[in-house]
């Protein structure tokens, strides 16, 4: 074989490998990419990083505003979960997450007087981690209209989710609560 053909063959093989590495298997609806800067992130299915054997879902930073956040999420009607305690659970793996990642869940209600919400801010996942079990537990009020859940990713890196479950649990399982916001001072400091 002539050296020119060998070089051309190597270049063609390298290009095909690069294209295959960048191809992303799409997630089915109702999974969506949302957040403050969703264009900075990409979502999809990864068949090589999986515990379930079915492929994991992922969100990864690709470019743009790296001090912001994106989320891989879905939302569904709350009808069958009203007046119940619900747990969203998943195995989570990270690579080079420079800010934080974590599971989250929110219950939208008709009255909006109470919107149960938890975003794992007090249990952040950072850096590179192997698969770990994480969960979020919330009570679903009687006037709930929708439940949203997913994984939050702030900054650079990649997060994988696998072996996901959404289930009703008993009242013996504690509800996750956001840390209280510090109260404001009653007078200014001048």
């Amino acid at each position: 074989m002539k050296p020119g053909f060998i070089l051309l063959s190597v270049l063609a093989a390298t290009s095909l490998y690069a294209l295959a590495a960048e191809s992303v298997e799409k997630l089915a609806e109702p999974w969506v990419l949302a957040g403050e800067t969703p264009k900075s992130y990409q979502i999809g299915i990864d068949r090589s990083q999986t515990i379930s054997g079915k492929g994991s879902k992922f969100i990864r930073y690709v470019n743009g505003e790296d001090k912001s956040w994106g989320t891989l999420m879905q939302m569904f009607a709350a009808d069958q979960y009203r007046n119940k305690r619900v747990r969203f659970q998943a195995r989570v793996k990270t690579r080079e997450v420079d800010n934080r990642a974590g599971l989250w869940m929110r219950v939208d209600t008709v009255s909006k007087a109470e919107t149960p919400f938890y975003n794992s801010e007090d249990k952040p996942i950072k850096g590179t981690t192997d698969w770990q079990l994480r969960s979020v537990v919330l009570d679903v009020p009687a006037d709930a209209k929708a439940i949203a859940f997913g994984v939050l990713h702030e900054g650079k890196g990649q997060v994988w989710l696998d072996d996901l479950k959404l289930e009703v649990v008993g009242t013996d399982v504690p509800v996750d609560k956001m840390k209280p916001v510090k109260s404001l001072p009653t007078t200014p400091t001048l």
Side-chain angles (χ1 to χ4, degrees), residues 145-179:
K145 59 182 180 180
I147 299 173
F149 68 92
V151 63
L152 175 77
H153 179 20
E154 290 183 7
K156 295 180 180 178
Q158 183 163 349
V159 182
W160 291 266
L161 293 181
D162 203 358
D163 198 21
L164 287 77
K165 294 178 186 168
L166 186 79
E167 59 190 348
V168 174
V169 295
T171 55
D172 58 317
V173 178
V175 170
D176 288 299
K177 297 193 183 277
M178 298 291 289
K179 286 184 177 180

Side-chain angles (χ1 to χ4, degrees), residues 14-178:
T14 304
S15 297
L16 286 173
Y17 176 77
L19 284 173
E22 287 300 315
S23 66
V24 173
E25 189 174 339
K26 302 276 184 201
L27 280 165
E29 288 186 16
W31 287 105
V32 296
L33 174 60
E36 188 175 44
T37 58
K39 290 182 181 180
S40 296
Y41 297 88
Q42 180 181 50
I43 61 171
I45 298 173
D46 187 336
R47 301 278 178 202
S48 66
Q49 298 292 327
T50 181
I51 287 184
S52 67
K54 301 179 212 168
S56 62
K57 294 156 183 52
F58 72 83
I59 179 171
R60 71 174 160 224
Y61 171 82
V62 286
N63 63 30
E65 179 57 55
D66 66 348
K67 301 298 180 213
S68 186
W69 60 274
T71 181
L72 166 60
M73 64 163 290
Q74 67 173 274
M75 182 179 258
F76 61 97
D79 302 0
Q80 66 180 343
Y81 297 99
R82 288 183 186 132
N83 296 313
K84 296 178 181 169
R85 186 165 288 181
V86 177
R87 175 171 54 205
F88 165 48
Q89 179 175 289
R91 302 265 178 196
V92 182
K93 180 177 180 173
T94 60
R95 181 178 62 213
E96 299 175 1
V97 170
D98 68 344
N99 194 343
R100 76 175 183 102
L103 298 183
W104 66 272
M105 186 164 53
R106 183 188 73 232
V107 180
D108 294 339
T109 59
V110 174
S111 68
K112 298 186 182 186
E114 178 189 353
T115 300
F117 175 70
Y118 181 75
N119 71 358
S120 300
E121 186 174 49
D122 58 335
K123 300 175 194 171
I125 306 170
K126 297 180 180 187
T128 300
T129 64
D130 202 0
W131 293 106
Q132 53 186 287
L133 185 62
R134 294 291 183 118
S135 66
V136 176
V137 178
L138 292 177
D139 284 330
V140 181
D143 70 339
K145 59 182 180 180
I147 299 173
F149 68 92
V151 63
L152 175 77
H153 179 20
E154 290 183 7
K156 295 180 180 178
Q158 183 163 349
V159 182
W160 291 266
L161 293 181
D162 203 358
D163 198 21
L164 287 77
K165 294 178 186 168
L166 186 79
E167 59 190 348
V168 174
V169 295
T171 55
D172 58 317
V173 178
V175 170
D176 288 299
K177 297 193 183 277
M178 298 291 289

